[in-house]
Amino acid sequence: MTITTDGRLALNADAGDVMRSVGARFIQLLWDPDARKFALRPVAKGDEHAYRLTPARAHKRGMYLSATAFLRHIGWDFSTRRTMAVEWNEKRKMLEVHLPASRGTGT
């Protein structure tokens, strides 16, 4: 997954495939400041706490969402584009992202 300088979360092809396989059209973003990680929990229907997943253009398997408000909430530094690994948590049915120590301080 890549976090862009304009606040988008761009899921690569494999992560996009996982989201499609569980029928995700929206994502809830969950923040755990103690563990320095956040999660993308797929949900089928949107609500005031959900972010819409947008498929990548023209036959590409990735997806993206605009998460500027969430990233500001966790104290993310937007100055550079950053790519990091995601891991599917089968038990909780969500993608998890562990943040490096220098990013996302939380509130």
Side-chain angles (χ1 to χ4, degrees):
M1 181 190 72
T2 299
I3 301 177
T4 66
T5 57
D6 63 355
R8 285 180 293 156
L9 303 182
L11 304 179
N12 66 11
D14 290 338
D17 289 347
V18 168
M19 289 297 154
R20 282 184 184 83
S21 74
V22 297
R25 297 187 55 174
F26 296 89
I27 292 293
Q28 289 179 335
L29 294 169
L30 309 171
W31 171 233
D32 182 343
D34 296 327
R36 298 206 42 76
K37 69 179 181 178
F38 68 90
L40 293 83
R41 181 170 51 195
V43 292
K45 294 183 180 182
D47 63 28
E48 67 272 10
H49 303 290
Y51 294 79
R52 178 183 293 277
L53 274 174
T54 303
R57 296 183 192 170
H59 308 293
K60 294 193 178 184
R61 296 170 21 223
M63 303 179 101
Y64 66 91
L65 62 138
S66 179
T68 306
F70 173 78
L71 293 168
R72 281 191 181 124
H73 170 72
I74 69 171
W76 186 257
D77 174 8
F78 289 92
S79 64
T80 58
R81 179 180 176 109
R82 185 76 182 233
T83 299
M84 56 199 76
V86 296
E87 183 178 319
W88 179 249
N89 182 323
E90 183 62 34
K91 182 178 179 183
R92 294 185 175 188
K93 303 289 188 206
M94 60 182 140
L95 284 176
E96 296 179 340
V97 182
H98 292 270
L99 297 179
S102 63
R103 303 289 175 131
T105 59
T107 57

